[in-house]
Amino acid sequence: MLKMISKPAVKLVDRYLPDPYIFVLLLTVIAAVAAIAVERQTPLAVMRMWGDGFWNLLTFSMQMLLVLVTGFMLASSPPVKRLLQKIAGFAASPGGAILLVTYVSLAASWINWGFGLVVGALFAKELAKLVKVDYRLLVASAYSGFVIWHGGLAGSIPLTIATDGHFTADQIGVIGTGSTIFAFFNLAIVVCLFIVMPLVNRMMLPDEKDSIYVDRAQLEDATDDSAPVRITRPAERLENSVMLAWLVGIPGLIFLLDHFVLRGGGLNLNVVNFMFLFLAIVLHRTPRSLLTSLNEAVKGGAGIVIQFPFYAGIMAIMIQSGLAASMSAWLVSFATETSLPFWTFISAGIVNLFVPSGGGQWAVQAPVMLPAAEALGADVSRIAMAVAWGDAWTNLLQPFWALPVLAIAGLKAKDIMGFCLVQLFITGAIISAGLVWF
């Protein structure tokens, strides 16, 4: 049945889902028109919100570009290539490849979302080299595991409210992760997703006549690291010096050891990028090998560079005009104590299409959801996780986060979003049930 459902979904998305750049332009227009029509903002005011906020995600844009680049460099190093190939060897059939990539993506995304995005996409490429399987579904399966990240160890909303002095501390105090990430209802959702999502992806596997395969030659590296290097200049000796690379790379790894072991630090996007980069420096052995990999990696970063500023502008319109708060308030206006987590989840999913940022989402919705939870006597920690899950859920439809995955895999959003659309409805039902009844 899922195979039958996924086929028209794939055709629908292929026909009507535009390129992510067109998608962000349309969202910009929709957000601006809605701010004028609903919030009674003047066109000049909306234009100023948009322009002033346009560069607010520069730091994050660079972080995301580095997720792509450093992850690619690490995965293209000879030792990691061999490891990925060895793990990929456990998949002896197309169905096995779909199951394996989904499990790997779910596990990696639960640990850290940036780690999950890169590992899932790179592992999908390795599987495609060994197993003849529909490449669109393979990459979609790798991306689908990302939906779990906000319920995992790096969930920005539960970690925010567990931090002393967070911006809603006067209202709700500090809520530890035992009431959010490690609460029974959240762990139940995570376990259900680990069981159901791989099976759903497996059941969507198209018949051979409907499958689209990738040319395996396109997945191979452009350069051969095993070829001997002829050194004719002193500069080339430095470029191919293992000692120089390790003099910098090994202290970087020691810094990470100090960060995790002695100082008890955790994973965040900067730490993940630092780890990817210095592991890549050490494992590539020579600066020349690393730079060759870098040249290949940056080719896929154009979408991140051009689109993220537009999303920053959209977020500014949604937040400063009051549109996001009004949307959230309307959706929870008819909620009860029991149904509030569900409507919070739905509102967060809708807002996420325009404000694809966990921290930004909580800043928008907390002033609406927390008074509603207090008035209805609802569990605040459950409401916070409803916002978190809603923020993660519609990433299955929003191409913002898929850009690094698509760049690594060499696909377009329309190639994978049809399969993700099916997962959107199934995971939405699981998460809703978990938030309301578990």
Side-chain angles (χ1 to χ4, degrees):
M1 181 179 291
L2 283 176
K3 190 184 300 185
M4 293 173 60
I5 294 172
S6 64
K7 188 184 296 185
V10 169
K11 290 182 178 179
L12 178 71
V13 169
D14 181 68
R15 183 173 177 82
Y16 292 105
L17 182 69
D19 182 88
Y21 174 64
I22 305 301
F23 190 79
V24 75
L25 294 183
L26 291 173
L27 287 180
T28 301
V29 173
I30 293 170
V33 171
I36 294 169
V38 177
E39 299 299 330
R40 305 300 182 189
Q41 298 286 342
T42 66
L44 178 61
V46 172
M47 183 181 67
R48 286 174 174 172
M49 295 172 194
W50 176 71
D52 290 342
F54 199 77
W55 302 114
N56 286 347
L57 289 180
L58 280 181
T59 298
F60 182 66
S61 300
M62 186 62 178
Q63 288 174 323
M64 286 299 291
L65 187 61
L66 284 171
V67 163
L68 167 64
V69 170
T70 59
F72 185 97
M73 290 191 300
L74 175 60
S76 64
S77 65
V80 175
K81 278 185 191 174
R82 290 192 292 269
L83 176 62
L84 290 176
Q85 289 166 358
K86 185 174 182 180
I87 299 174
F90 288 107
S93 66
I98 297 299
L99 290 171
L100 187 57
V101 76
T102 309
Y103 283 125
V104 168
S105 175
L106 283 165
S109 296
W110 189 81
I111 295 171
N112 179 272
W113 65 267
F115 185 64
L117 280 177
V118 172
V119 167
L122 294 169
F123 186 54
K125 287 186 67 174
E126 288 301 324
L127 281 166
K129 295 176 184 178
L130 300 177
V131 181
K132 188 179 180 181
V133 59
D134 188 296
Y135 191 53
R136 304 164 304 164
L137 178 59
L138 188 68
V139 176
S141 301
Y143 178 62
S144 67
F146 180 61
V147 77
I148 210 168
W149 82 272
H150 232 326
L153 299 180
S156 60
I157 293 175
L159 293 182
T160 294
I161 63 177
T163 303
D164 290 330
H166 66 88
F167 73 93
T168 55
D170 292 342
Q171 259 181 296
I172 62 175
V174 175
I175 299 177
T177 55
S179 300
T180 53
I181 295 173
F182 298 106
F184 173 76
F185 74 89
N186 189 66
L187 292 176
I189 293 171
V190 169
V191 170
C192 286
L193 292 178
F194 261 89
I195 295 171
V196 174
M197 290 189 70
L199 296 177
V200 170
N201 285 333
R202 170 63 182 84
M203 287 187 284
M204 286 192 291
L205 186 65
D207 296 327
E208 187 169 354
K209 63 183 176 63
D210 297 319
S211 295
I212 294 179
Y213 304 110
V214 65
D215 182 358
R216 295 181 184 179
Q218 296 179 3
L219 302 176
E220 298 299 332
D221 296 325
T223 57
D224 182 7
D225 293 335
S226 63
V229 178
R230 184 169 178 266
I231 297 175
T232 60
R233 299 180 298 115
E236 291 175 337
R237 193 173 301 279
L238 290 174
E239 291 172 356
N240 291 280
S241 170
V242 176
M243 181 63 68
L244 179 59
W246 285 5
L247 279 174
V248 176
I250 290 175
L253 297 183
I254 294 173
F255 170 84
L256 285 171
L257 188 66
D258 173 65
H259 172 78
F260 288 121
V261 177
L262 299 182
R263 292 188 288 170
L267 276 176
N268 57 42
L269 200 51
N270 288 334
V271 172
V272 168
N273 281 331
F274 193 93
M275 178 172 61
F276 282 178
L277 175 60
F278 282 90
L279 281 172
I281 290 173
V282 170
L283 295 179
H284 271 281
R285 294 175 58 86
T286 68
R288 172 49 52 199
S289 175
L290 186 83
L291 291 174
T292 301
S293 176
L294 173 62
N295 289 334
E296 289 297 308
V298 297
K299 294 177 181 178
I304 294 173
V305 172
I306 194 64
Q307 291 177 44
F308 277 37
F310 281 94
Y311 278 108
I314 293 169
M315 289 171 60
I317 293 174
M318 293 290 293
I319 295 171
Q320 294 176 30
S321 70
L323 187 61
S326 295
M327 186 185 302
S328 301
W330 176 75
L331 280 167
V332 302
S333 63
F334 39 84
T336 64
E337 177 186 354
T338 303
S339 65
L340 183 60
F342 170 77
W343 290 113
T344 300
F345 168 68
I346 296 298
S347 69
I350 295 172
V351 171
N352 178 60
L353 295 175
F354 297 88
V355 188
S357 164
Q361 182 114 351
W362 182 239
V364 170
Q365 294 199 269
V368 177
M369 300 307 173
L370 294 181
E374 184 178 354
L376 295 172
D379 180 7
V380 171
S381 60
R382 192 177 291 257
I383 297 305
M385 289 308 297
V387 175
W389 278 110
D391 171 70
W393 173 51
T394 47
N395 288 331
L396 288 168
L397 186 63
Q398 160 63 269
F400 178 86
W401 297 104
L403 291 175
V405 175
L406 296 169
I408 291 170
L411 293 179
K412 296 181 179 180
K414 66 183 181 64
D415 295 324
I416 70 169
M417 288 300 174
F419 300 107
C420 291
L421 183 62
V422 176
Q423 284 284 16
L424 179 79
F425 290 106
I426 293 174
T427 56
I430 293 172
I431 297 168
S432 298
L435 290 170
V436 175
W437 292 312
F438 287 177

